[in-house]
Amino acid sequence: MKKLLMTSAAVAALGTSAMAAGHEEIKLGVILGFTGPIESLTPSMGDAAELAMAEVTASGKLLGGASVTGVRGDSTCIDSGAAQAAAERLVGEGVKGIMGADCSGVTGAILTNVAMANGIVMISPSATSPGLSHNNNEDNGLFFRTSPSDARQGVVMTEVLMEAGISEVAVTYTNNDYGKGLADSFQAAFEAAGGSVTINAAHEDGKADYTAEVGALASAGGDRLVVAGYVDQGGSGIVRAALDSGAFDTFHFPDGMISAKLVENFGAEIDGSSGQHPAPSDELAARFTALVDGAFDATSPFTPESYDAAALMMLAMQAAGSSDPAMYKEHIMAVANAPGEQIQSGELGKALEIIAAGGDVDYVGATGVELVGPGEAAGSYRVVGFEGGEEVTAGRK
């Protein structure tokens, strides 16, 4: 954190001219579960969004020298009431957009009850429920995401398991919009590919003992247990109970479980397991890691997506000539996609110059951004394995 503060200070110092009196001071909300079941993931996500804001401010190129600062709010990931209250506070403070939220249920609640009512753009880096796609959710063109829908993740999971020779699995999912949406998408894809799901059962977060849940999963059987849960919550509880009882010795982990915390919790006990999470190409990841320069974990899931979410809002503002969400929302798809000069992470000032001169940009960013019809990322995934108590890259999809 000390290094991050130093890095941010250095960036801010470069852009002192952008702070001159009379220039607009733009606030962007950063709503993530800084407490709750994915709290080990969110610090770097928030830092990445704020890095993009600092980069733009330092350039002095946005709307003639506007500065951009982040205002944080805690979604908790699971408490819709608390998430809405956080969003209402940020709207009251005058934010021009929300980078977030993170988990699908609270994201949908904020969108429906706060963002749409106030005309606020939201770009989530990690809310993956298929129910958030534009064609399923009337959102007044205010909602976008830099992560792919779980309809895509279900297909990727199927491919990973089938390629490993796993054709029969048990599934447990956290009992919310994210877990149910992913479990259903996976089951449909897996069965269409000829696989068998022996059981598809919900689990509740926050329990001290998951013996009963694991007993039901074990009775149904399967070559591997798919755990569509949260690494800082019930997902890890399920894995612990399964290992302790001998019910399962290998697992498949979707994105909500992939974190340094997973290896910290289980080490070599989960060797032979598999998983995947949205992730950029090696080239893009290396570039973003160099930009971050150790200030935070640049490779943590949904961290590069957070940088991109904030960047897209600011580039769209430049294209619209305004920080008004009613105006810049119409430009997000255009700056995200071809035609235009490709823009990678660390090149936000260059992008702002091109747009100001009347040119077009195709924002590639930290994750290879390409927004498809519903305003969400087409998506690429890093496939992971677990060997010798460590997480390893096993391929890409």
Side-chain angles (χ1 to χ4, degrees), residues 181-207:
L182 177 54
D184 288 349
S185 294
F186 166 68
Q187 181 168 359
F190 196 64
E191 291 179 345
S196 173
V197 174
T198 62
I199 185 174
N200 193 346
H203 65 261
E204 301 294 335
D205 285 325
K207 296 182 65 175

Side-chain angles (χ1 to χ4, degrees), residues 15-27 52-69 96 314 317-318 321-323 352:
T16 302
S17 61
M19 304 288 196
H23 291 309
E24 184 178 4
E25 296 181 0
I26 299 169
K27 296 178 182 178
M53 297 176 207
E55 184 182 334
V56 163
T57 298
S59 77
K61 304 295 184 181
L62 176 61
L63 301 177
S67 63
V68 188
T69 55
K96 300 295 188 180
M314 294 181 288
M317 289 177 187
Q318 187 83 331
S322 172
S323 63
L352 294 169

Side-chain angles (χ1 to χ4, degrees), residues 107-175:
T107 299
I110 292 172
L111 174 63
T112 301
N113 299 311
V114 182
M116 289 173 62
N118 293 279
I120 298 294
V121 167
M122 294 177 66
I123 305 185
S124 172
S126 58
T128 54
S129 169
L132 289 167
S133 294
H134 280 355
N135 57 347
N136 292 330
N137 196 64
E138 184 55 50
D139 59 20
N140 298 337
L142 292 167
F143 180 71
F144 304 83
R145 48 185 168 178
T146 50
S147 56
S149 164
D150 279 333
R152 163 76 172 140
Q153 184 167 195
V155 172
V156 172
M157 289 170 66
T158 294
E159 293 173 353
V160 173
L161 287 164
M162 288 293 185
E163 288 168 8
I166 305 294
S167 59
E168 185 178 83
V169 298
V171 177
T172 180
Y173 63 89
T174 184
N175 192 17

Side-chain angles (χ1 to χ4, degrees), residues 58-374:
S59 77
K61 304 295 184 181
L62 176 61
L63 301 177
S67 63
V68 188
T69 55
V71 185
R72 292 191 177 195
D74 186 2
S75 78
T76 76
C77 174
I78 52 175
D79 186 337
S80 292
Q84 288 172 214
E88 288 166 354
R89 173 178 64 81
L90 266 57
V91 170
E93 292 186 29
V95 299
K96 300 295 188 180
I98 292 173
M99 198 299 297
D102 45 1
C103 300
S104 296
V106 294
T107 299
I110 292 172
L111 174 63
T112 301
N113 299 311
V114 182
M116 289 173 62
N118 293 279
I120 298 294
V121 167
M122 294 177 66
I123 305 185
S124 172
S126 58
T128 54
S129 169
L132 289 167
S133 294
H134 280 355
N135 57 347
N136 292 330
N137 196 64
E138 184 55 50
D139 59 20
N140 298 337
L142 292 167
F143 180 71
F144 304 83
R145 48 185 168 178
T146 50
S147 56
S149 164
D150 279 333
R152 163 76 172 140
Q153 184 167 195
V155 172
V156 172
M157 289 170 66
T158 294
E159 293 173 353
V160 173
L161 287 164
M162 288 293 185
E163 288 168 8
I166 305 294
S167 59
E168 185 178 83
V169 298
V171 177
T172 180
Y173 63 89
T174 184
N175 192 17
N176 62 17
D177 290 357
Y178 160 69
K180 183 72 163 61
L182 177 54
D184 288 349
S185 294
F186 166 68
Q187 181 168 359
F190 196 64
E191 291 179 345
S196 173
V197 174
T198 62
I199 185 174
N200 193 346
H203 65 261
E204 301 294 335
D205 285 325
K207 296 182 65 175
D209 183 7
Y210 288 92
T211 302
E213 289 84 350
V214 168
L217 295 164
S219 295
D223 299 324
R224 189 160 293 183
L225 177 59
V226 176
V227 185
Y230 295 131
V231 68
D232 294 317
Q233 255 297 345
S236 285
I238 290 281
V239 174
R240 181 77 273 155
L243 290 168
D244 289 349
S245 66
F248 295 89
D249 57 9
T250 59
F251 307 86
H252 187 85
F253 300 114
D255 51 6
M257 291 294 295
I258 303 297
S259 163
K261 191 74 173 179
L262 185 65
V263 170
E264 180 183 326
N265 287 347
F266 303 108
E269 291 183 283
I270 56 172
D271 279 4
S273 297
S274 53
Q276 77 286 314
H277 66 90
S281 68
D282 290 341
E283 179 183 355
L284 292 178
R287 182 183 179 94
F288 183 60
T289 298
L291 176 68
V292 171
D293 193 26
F296 51 86
D297 184 357
T299 64
S300 182
F302 304 115
T303 291
E305 287 87 353
S306 299
Y307 175 93
D308 287 344
L312 283 174
M313 281 190 276
M314 294 181 288
L315 297 185
M317 289 177 187
Q318 187 83 331
S322 172
S323 63
D324 181 351
M327 297 181 66
Y328 79 76
K329 71 178 184 179
E330 305 295 340
H331 296 266
I332 291 172
M333 294 291 286
V335 298
N337 297 335
E341 183 166 348
Q342 291 196 339
I343 300 297
Q344 298 193 31
S345 60
E347 295 184 330
L348 301 185
K350 173 185 174 182
L352 294 169
E353 285 186 350
I354 293 170
I355 295 169
D360 294 324
V361 298
D362 173 10
Y363 182 71
V364 173
T367 63
V369 171
E370 183 72 19
L371 297 189
V372 295

